[in-house]
Structure formats: C-alpha cells, structure tokens
Amino acid sequence: MLDSIVLKINGREESVRLKPYDTLSRVLRDELGMIGTKRGCDYGGCGACTVSIDGKAVYSCMFPAQYAEGKEILTVEGLAPIGGALSMIQESFLVNGGLQCGYCTSGIMISTKCLLDKNPNPSLNDIQEALAGNICRCTGYGRILESIFAAAKSLREVKVGAPIPK
Amino acid sequence: MNLGLAVFRPKDFLLTDKKEEVLGRLKSEGKHAHIIAGGTGFYELARRGYIPEVKHVVSIMQLGLDYIKDEQTGLTIGATTILQNLLESGAGDRMGLEALGDALREIRPVQVRNVATVGGEVCISVPIVDLPTALLACGASLKILKSDGTEYSISLEDFYIDAFLTKLKYGEIVKEVTLPKKSDEKSAFVKIGRTAYDFNLINAGVSLSTNGDGKLSSIKVFLGGIKRTPLRALSFEKKLLGKKVDERTIVEAVEDAFEKEKLFPSVHGSSEYKMAILPIVLRDCVMKAFERTRG
C-alpha cells in the first residue's frame, strides 16, 4: 500500500509516495535522491542521518516519514544559500579541517546548526551535549570542536566581507 | 546469515486522532498490531528483527496525549509528551521529583530526547532504559485507557512482568503517568553506561527523607539493568533505614544486601562487572539524594 504525502524540505514542498512505515531517511535518499543525509547504522546509533525537524535535531532513520508532514525539514542540502556558496558552518568545517572521510559530516553540521540556532555562544560542554549523538571515526573530534567554535564565532560577528575565521 | 533486515513488512500504519479507531485496531489485531509513539525504540526493534509478527503499526501521537498538568494531587504527564519538552518544562526541578530531572538529562543523545516519549520509555520494558527507574523512585502510577473507553490506574511498580512484557493488554494504551506531590522527600537518579550517550549498564533511583538528626526516616531504592525488570532493593533499604548515611555505610549495605545476587548480564557488562559497579552507583545515588535533604 502506498500513500502520498507532501513534505516541506529545505523550504520546498515535495510530494512523495511512500510505504506507510517508511522512515524519513529512506524517503529522502531513495525517493527524493537527497543523498546528503547519510545512512550509517540505520538504528539510531551513529548520527549520520541527523536532520532538523522544526529546528530540532532528530535521527531520520528512526523517524516515521508520516510524522514529518507539515513540519519544516532541514537537510544538509538546505544549509547552503542558493548559488553555490557555502554556509558559515560548512565553510568553518572546510577551513578548520573538521572532517576527513566526511561520512558523518552532514549529520554533524545539522546538529551544529540546531545547537547554534538556539545557543549562539556554546560552551565546550554544550557542544559535547549536542554532538553526543554523532559519531566520527576519523577526526578524533578535536578539529570538529574547533570548527564549531569558529563557526559560532563567525556567526556572532556576521559582517559582509568578513574574513573566514581560521 | 540472517541480519534481520528484511523481516519487518507491516501492512499499514495508522496515524489518526480518532481514539476509538486506534484502540479498536489494537484490540482486533492483537499481537499483529504494535503501538508506535516517538518511534526510536520501535524502529530499532523492527530493524533488529524482533517484531516480525507485527502487521499493523498503530500510532498514538495524534491522540492529544502530549500534556503536562500540575494538579492538586501531583504532576500528570501525558504518554506522548516528548522527553526534551518534559525536561524543558522544569518538571524535574520540583520537590521530590529531582530523580526525574536527573534521568531526563542523562538520556542522550539529544536526537533521541527530541522524539522519544514518556509513554514509550515506560512501555518498552527493557532493562537498559532510564526513565522507569526514576519514575519508580518518584512513586509513579499509570492511567490506562481501555478499548471500551474506560480507564484504570495501576502503580508503575506493578506494571512490569518481564523484559518486553507489561500488564498492558491488547486494546489498551498507557494514557498518562502521575507523580504524587511530595512534601518532605528528596530523590536522585544516577546511571553508569558504556559511554555518556549510551543506554545504562546499571541505574538507580532513590527517594528518601530524613528526621531532625540526619537519620533516614524513609527510603525507597529502585535499580534498573540488574534484572529483566526494574527491581526494588528492599533488603538494601532495610539496612539503611534509621541510620545516618555516609559512603561507607552505603557500600557495606550493598555488600550485605546483594551478596549472592546474579545480575542481568548484557553484551556490554557481565554480571560480575555489574556487581563491581553496583556499590558505586548506589553510593552516588543515595548520597546525591541525601545531600539534597540538606538543601
């Protein structure tokens, strides 16, 4: 049995057909081809599939797609402004080496976005709390923390033409 | 090798605000229907191949059970209240409900706390979850809605039968959790997990009160992760009641009370390992509650 629902993803409404018990990550990746959201463990252990729903980070691999109807979904594809530029969070991860293989990065950047939207000046502990559900097996987390601190700083000091923080 | 990945193929997913339809489906389909709330527990069970018999997924998320009510008799929490919302409501800062706040802060990661529900944590009945232990320490009872529209209450202590098995019958749902008002008790919750964001290996919920000279006039201790269901540590309580507590008294009481116990082993912690960390968890938890009685 297939249902058709409308999901609002990154500000755009997308009509999707889904099996009723489909998770959001399956719909995003397999139905809509939005493969920026990664499939890692597929049951809430790694955080690679993290997306934002109404500003809150959730694991899309265990979130029924039907629950997302009528809510604002943000995936990594929606982080960057239109026109090829990167968002400050993305830029900061790039410049500060906050990734190696990159598989966990989309989830981590969404978690970062959800954190910084609520708390523009997070402490180390705040970041650790927000990122506890995102596992990275490459970086050792040091560069990720630096990237988030730098992103927070630059977001607080948004100025046109400001240099990218190192 | 069967990875259990292809087993879960339900026929439908009922998401409606019609209570009768939800309860009717649960009753008529019996073991072939399964309640879903937030979904974090449900999808994990499904992917691991634990619920292949389920053909009808029944969501209770639109039944309007997302509420926190402060009433004369105590605090009432609707079953589909999201854990993060409960944490932000400050419910865990109330007199006697400190264990609830402790447990909510210890349930990580935030991605789970943002969708998991109070009812789900209570009903999944696995030894590794945290909220039941804290709720038990706070004296929780449940209100259960039957398919004929009537309701009944049951204390949380009487609710659990075994792992994955509660007294909930087909066609019933947990509607709300009620926590009584406390005037003189303080509580605390402590857990040890494999990592800071993991499920518990062992957790403890304690509620206690003291008389004027600092001796314990009441104490209730619940433990999670050491048996298949939450356990009340009655003989441990008895050893502490009427005494002044300090770290040494507590550790000695643990050694006496649990001398010959076999604890529920998991892949992350054997019975022996859990026995080794049990005194630490109980010491920290009782002391934390005790410190709170001194303001």
Side-chain angles (χ1 to χ4, degrees), chain B residues 102 187-192 204-206 208 236 246-248 250-251 254 277-292:
Chain B
D102 290 346
S187 64
F189 170 92
V190 164
K191 88 180 210 191
I192 291 188
V206 169
L208 54 77
F236 174 71
D246 57 42
E247 297 194 356
R248 219 176 113 197
I250 299 167
V251 173
V254 178
I277 59 174
L278 181 62
I280 301 163
V281 172
L282 277 172
R283 180 198 68 195
D284 288 359
C285 194
V286 175
M287 285 312 288
K288 196 167 169 183
F290 181 65
E291 296 296 334
R292 283 174 175 159

Side-chain angles (χ1 to χ4, degrees), chain B residues 162-235:
Chain B
D162 201 346
F164 298 112
L165 190 64
T166 66
K167 293 214 173 133
L168 208 60
K169 296 184 193 72
Y170 297 132
E172 293 182 346
I173 59 169
V174 169
K175 187 186 168 201
E176 59 195 26
V177 180
T178 305
L179 302 170
K181 267 220 167 87
K182 304 279 175 89
S183 54
D184 55 351
E185 286 180 14
K186 293 281 183 180
S187 64
F189 170 92
V190 164
K191 88 180 210 191
I192 291 188
R194 187 174 53 106
T195 62
Y197 61 87
D198 208 346
F199 293 114
N200 75 65
L201 288 166
I202 295 185
N203 61 24
V206 169
S207 172
L208 54 77
S209 59
T210 53
N211 55 23
D213 56 1
K215 289 179 179 164
L216 291 186
S217 53
S218 75
I219 179 166
K220 258 174 144 184
V221 180
F222 288 90
L223 289 164
I226 73 163
K227 294 285 171 186
R228 291 159 70 100
T229 60
L231 175 86
R232 182 159 177 194
L234 280 167
S235 57

Side-chain angles (χ1 to χ4, degrees), chain B residues 252-272:
Chain B
E252 280 171 7
V254 178
E255 281 164 5
D256 285 354
F258 293 91
E259 204 190 343
K260 289 190 181 118
E261 286 287 344
K262 174 111 176 77
L263 307 189
F264 176 77
S266 73
V267 24
H268 298 309
S270 62
S271 173
E272 293 77 10

Side-chain angles (χ1 to χ4, degrees), chain B residues 29-58:
Chain B
E29 302 300 338
K31 70 168 186 175
H32 297 297
H34 202 297
I35 300 171
I36 185 171
T40 57
F42 182 88
Y43 277 99
E44 182 157 0
L45 296 180
R47 296 264 165 66
R48 287 182 190 267
Y50 291 169
I51 46 173
E53 72 281 6
V54 171
K55 298 292 169 219
H56 307 274
V57 184
V58 182

Side-chain angles (χ1 to χ4, degrees), chain A residues 28 56 64 70 79 86 124 162 165:
Chain A
L28 287 172
K56 292 186 167 181
L79 275 184
L86 293 178
L124 176 61

